[in-house]
Each structure stands twice: as C-alpha cells, then as structure tokens.
Amino acid sequence: MPSRLPAPGADELAHSERLLLQLRELIAAQGAIPFSQYMERCLYTPGLGYYSAGTTKFGAAGDFVTAPELGALFARCVAHAVEPVLGLLGEGADFLELGGGSGAFAEHALAAFAAAGTLPRRYLILEPSADLRERQRERLAAALPAGLYGRVQWIDRPPEEDWQGVLFANEVIDALPATRFTLRGGEVYEEYVALDGEGRLLRQDRPADALVAGAVRHVERDLGEAFADGYRSEILPQLPYWMQAVAGALRAGVMLFVDYGYVRREFYLPERGDGTLMAHYRHHAHGDPFHLPGLNDLTASVDFTALAEAGNSAGFGVAAYLPQAQFLLASGLPALFEAAYAEAADEAARYRLAQEVRRLTLPDRMGERFQAMLFARGIEALPLPAELLAADQGGRL
Ligand SMILES: C[S@@+](CC[C@H](N)C(=O)[O-])C[C@H]1O[C@@H](n2cnc3c(N)ncnc32)[C@H](O)[C@@H]1O
C-alpha cells in the first residue's frame, strides 16, 4: 500500500474487501482478466464500484474536484459557447450530458440557458451509475424551479431515434475502462490481472488479441515509429464503437468533450513509458490501481487524436480543439466573471470567484492539462463564437 495515503476507516476497508472477494472469485473461475475489465469492475460493479456504490466523492471534501464542482463559471461558459447552436436548431433541440457527476454542471447550465432564453427542449442525462443518478435527481429537484427541473430526463442508453442538439461530456472519456498494453520482442502484449499464490492481485502480460494489437499498430503507424520493447501505456480500442453508440443518432448539432489529455505524439512520448494511469484517493494521486479497489477513482488521460478519429468515423468533423483555458476565455469567461464578481455578496464570495478562475485557467492547474474538443455535424455555417474558432489548435492533432 502506498504509505503516504490516508488510512481508510473500518467500513471503507470492509467495502473494498467485498469487491476484492468478488474479483478473486471472478479470476479464480475464469482465469486472469484484462486490466480494462478490472478497471470496469472497480468503477462500476453495482453496489461496490467507485461510481456505483455511494463512495464517489466529488468536491473539496472528496477524492477529486472537477471543473463544474468549482462553481458556476465553467457551465456558464459552455452554455455561452453552445447557445447559438441551440438557437439555430430551434425548439426541437436537446442537450445531452454524459456522466453528470454530482449534477453541478446541469444545475448551472440549465440556469444559464434559462437566463439567456435558449433552453433546450429536454436536458437529457446519460448516467450509468444508479447512485449518481439519485444524487443528481435530489440536487436538481432541490435547486431548480419546477419549470426547469421538468426538462431534465435520465436515459438508460444513448438516444436511438434521430435527434439534434448538443452532446456534452466533462471527464467521462478518462473514466472509460482503459486497455493497458506493452511490447515484448516487438510483439504487442495486453496487461491482465491475475492472482498470486496468496490471493493477491498481480499484473500479468499476455499476447494481445487482434483488436488490441491492431489498435496499437495503428498508433505506431500514425506516429511513424514502433514502440520500444518494455514500453507500456493505455489505449481505448473500443472508442470508435463507443462514439458511434453515444452519438450515432445526433444528426445535426455539436459535441463537446473536455478532459485531461494530449495529442497522440505527446500522449505516447518515449519518456512516458508507464502510461498515464492514475488512482485518486482523497485528493492524493497515486499509481497503484490495486490499492483499495472500489475506494479509488481510476483514470487514464485521453489521446485526443484518437478521440478525433472516433468522432470522424462516426461522421463528425472536428470544429475546434484547444486547451481549457483558451476555450473558456473564448467562451465569455472574462465577461461572465465580471458579472458574477459585481453580483457577489461579500469579499469571501469574490475571493472564491477569483480562485475559481485561477483553478480553471492557470497552466499548472486545469488550464493546460485539460483540453476541449468540439465536433459538428449537419450544420452548414457553424454559429460558434468567432474567438473560439480563431483559437482552434486542431492543426496539432
Ligand atoms: C470523473 S466523473 C465526471 C463527472 C462530471 N462530468 C463532472 O465533471 O463533475 C465521470 C462520470 O462519467 C460517468 N460515466 C462513466 N462511463 C460512462 C459512460 N460510458 N457513459 C456516460 N457516463 C459515463 C460516471 O458515472 C461519472 O458520472
């Protein structure tokens, strides 16, 4: 166990042990499991996974803080950026949020749309975790007037009927179960999770199947060189299928993904030879995915070139790709900050706003580590803010 991490309470430990027991039984019955399956179980096992068991802790008292948790400014900027698209598409336009977390984004975005007179017909939330859904429901029911709350609908699967509007996801791609791979003797191996003689979890490399090997070879071809033996990293071979599933029916509109990550040649830098996988436990980031399964958030950074390819293959063009700081500045942050500052009740509230802007935009906070990628389809003249299109760095992909 990484020694500098806070010790869990007895209940937490028992919770993690229950998940560990299930994992041991699974591995004993069917043999070693791919790391991606292990990650999926740690995050989403009903009742026990990090996102499905009431253990997820967003915000200052929890395990990590996301941009919507810092205050209303992030959601107001996103709303400002996509309002012209909703306006253009008219009354039938919907807004679909993937992975709504605590509901903070939905609360602030709906208020911003209402203030601007650009409310979507429906505000759909696709949230796989039953526990988070319940938390979102409680928060939004308490925070929103009935007229706004009435527009919110939780859906179990992506829309299958054609629709138009805006699809938004903050820090969702980093939570998709990642495949870990390595190279041995020039061959691609996939990382599995096995048990040692005493029932402890253990990493084990096995020859990769055609899907994983093909995805790794595609990255090598795109980079123009082979990975060195021993190089280890993550990849999402399922990303094009996932994208097709979540966005295939969006006939006209935009998609906005915000996440931490890099363009491909920065993601797979030779010196990043053990990948980007991180675990988060009570604001401590560490690298041991076997530490207290179910109590830690597990994430991998996003290869934005792969995301662009997945969007393209689902029929979308990349409209803009830029660091979060530039995205927010081009999406009205200065004016939105000034307005909030002028309305702030006291000095403490003004200080919080200033801190929020710093955390959202400073390069060593979220400003440069997080990227925003906008896709569009079915709209001829894209009505996005001109500053946003001007700040596009899509040429780096
Ligand atoms: C790191 S949290 C981010 C939450 C929120 N977007 C925020 O910024 O605070 C990841 C969220 O994505 C959800 N999620 C994971 N896989 C998903 C999927 N395949 N589709 C939609 N949401 C997913 C999780 O349940 C969780 O709500």
Side-chain angles (χ1 to χ4, degrees):
M1 177 194 294
S3 57
R4 64 192 171 80
L5 294 177
D11 285 356
E12 283 189 307
L13 209 51
H15 178 108
S16 181
E17 283 295 329
R18 281 198 291 279
L19 179 58
L20 201 50
L21 192 64
Q22 276 202 11
L23 288 162
R24 285 197 189 107
E25 283 171 2
L26 176 72
I27 297 169
Q30 73 172 52
I33 56 173
F35 179 82
S36 56
Q37 191 181 347
Y38 171 78
M39 181 166 165
E40 201 261 332
R41 294 274 166 154
C42 288
L43 297 182
Y44 305 111
T45 297
L48 290 174
Y50 182 76
Y51 282 114
S52 20
T55 47
T56 327
K57 294 181 209 76
F58 295 95
D63 299 303
F64 55 86
V65 178
T66 62
E69 297 294 328
L70 294 172
L73 289 174
F74 178 81
R76 286 182 190 162
C77 288
V78 171
H80 179 80
V82 303
E83 272 158 9
V85 176
L86 292 174
L88 178 84
L89 294 171
E91 287 181 356
D94 292 321
F95 189 97
L96 166 58
E97 182 182 3
L98 305 182
S102 71
F105 181 87
E107 178 189 333
H108 299 307
L110 274 162
F113 288 135
T118 52
L119 274 170
R121 180 179 57 145
R122 297 177 301 173
Y123 190 104
L124 305 171
I125 302 181
L126 177 60
E127 172 55 69
S129 155
D131 169 63
L132 288 180
R133 255 182 202 225
E134 206 35 53
R135 284 206 237 172
Q136 292 157 12
R137 211 185 292 279
E138 277 173 21
R139 177 179 184 144
L140 296 179
L144 296 175
L148 285 190
Y149 182 65
R151 291 184 192 246
V152 185
Q153 282 179 27
W154 282 265
I155 54 176
D156 294 325
R157 59 185 68 84
E160 283 165 14
E161 303 281 304
D162 285 356
W163 65 286
Q164 44 183 7
V166 175
L167 182 153
F168 169 74
N170 185 61
E171 287 207 47
V172 172
I173 312 285
D174 71 64
L176 296 181
T179 293
R180 300 256 297 160
F181 70 90
T182 188
L183 279 292
R184 288 190 188 185
E187 297 300 318
V188 182
Y189 280 69
E190 179 173 356
E191 188 175 306
Y192 276 65
V193 177
L195 296 175
D196 70 7
E198 276 146 39
R200 285 185 298 246
L201 300 171
L202 173 83
R203 297 180 187 207
Q204 195 177 76
D205 297 332
R206 297 183 162 198
D209 65 16
L211 178 68
V212 172
V216 173
R217 295 303 185 205
H218 167 73
V219 169
E220 287 182 322
R221 273 194 300 279
D222 192 38
L223 293 173
E225 59 183 324
F227 289 116
D229 259 18
Y231 190 84
R232 190 176 291 270
S233 192
E234 295 85 33
I235 195 161
L236 294 176
Q238 77 277 30
L239 194 60
Y241 310 101
W242 182 84
M243 183 66 93
Q244 183 61 43
V246 296
L250 174 55
R251 305 315 306 175
V254 301
M255 306 194 286
L256 170 60
F257 294 92
V258 182
D259 227 308
Y260 43 91
Y262 318 90
V263 295
R264 179 166 286 154
R265 65 182 173 285
E266 290 169 14
F267 187 104
Y268 294 110
L269 283 177
E271 53 269 36
R272 214 191 300 283
D274 195 30
T276 65
L277 186 75
M278 292 293 276
H280 288 94
Y281 183 59
R282 298 205 206 141
H283 288 283
H284 291 260
H286 65 96
D288 180 5
F290 297 154
H291 178 58
L292 298 174
L295 301 183
N296 284 256
D297 186 24
L298 299 178
T299 71
S301 295
V302 174
D303 168 1
F304 274 91
T305 308
L307 187 65
E309 287 171 350
N312 291 160
S313 72
F316 291 81
V318 175
Y321 169 68
L322 62 178
Q324 175 170 300
Q326 271 85 333
F327 168 75
L328 295 176
L329 292 170
S331 301
L333 181 62
L336 291 164
F337 168 71
E338 268 178 38
Y341 201 81
E343 282 171 19
D346 53 26
E347 199 48 45
R350 284 189 282 278
Y351 177 76
R352 274 199 303 277
L353 277 167
Q355 285 298 98
E356 186 180 345
V357 170
R358 290 165 63 85
R359 294 179 75 169
L360 289 172
T361 59
L362 286 182
D364 56 336
R365 308 300 286 270
M366 293 180 174
E368 298 260 310
R369 294 189 55 228
F370 281 72
Q371 319 293 326
M373 180 169 269
L374 268 149
F375 292 92
R377 159 155 91 180
I379 298 180
E380 267 181 30
L382 204 55
L384 291 172
E387 304 93 298
L388 212 166
L389 297 174
D392 174 36
Q393 300 181 9
R396 297 177 53 229
L397 286 164

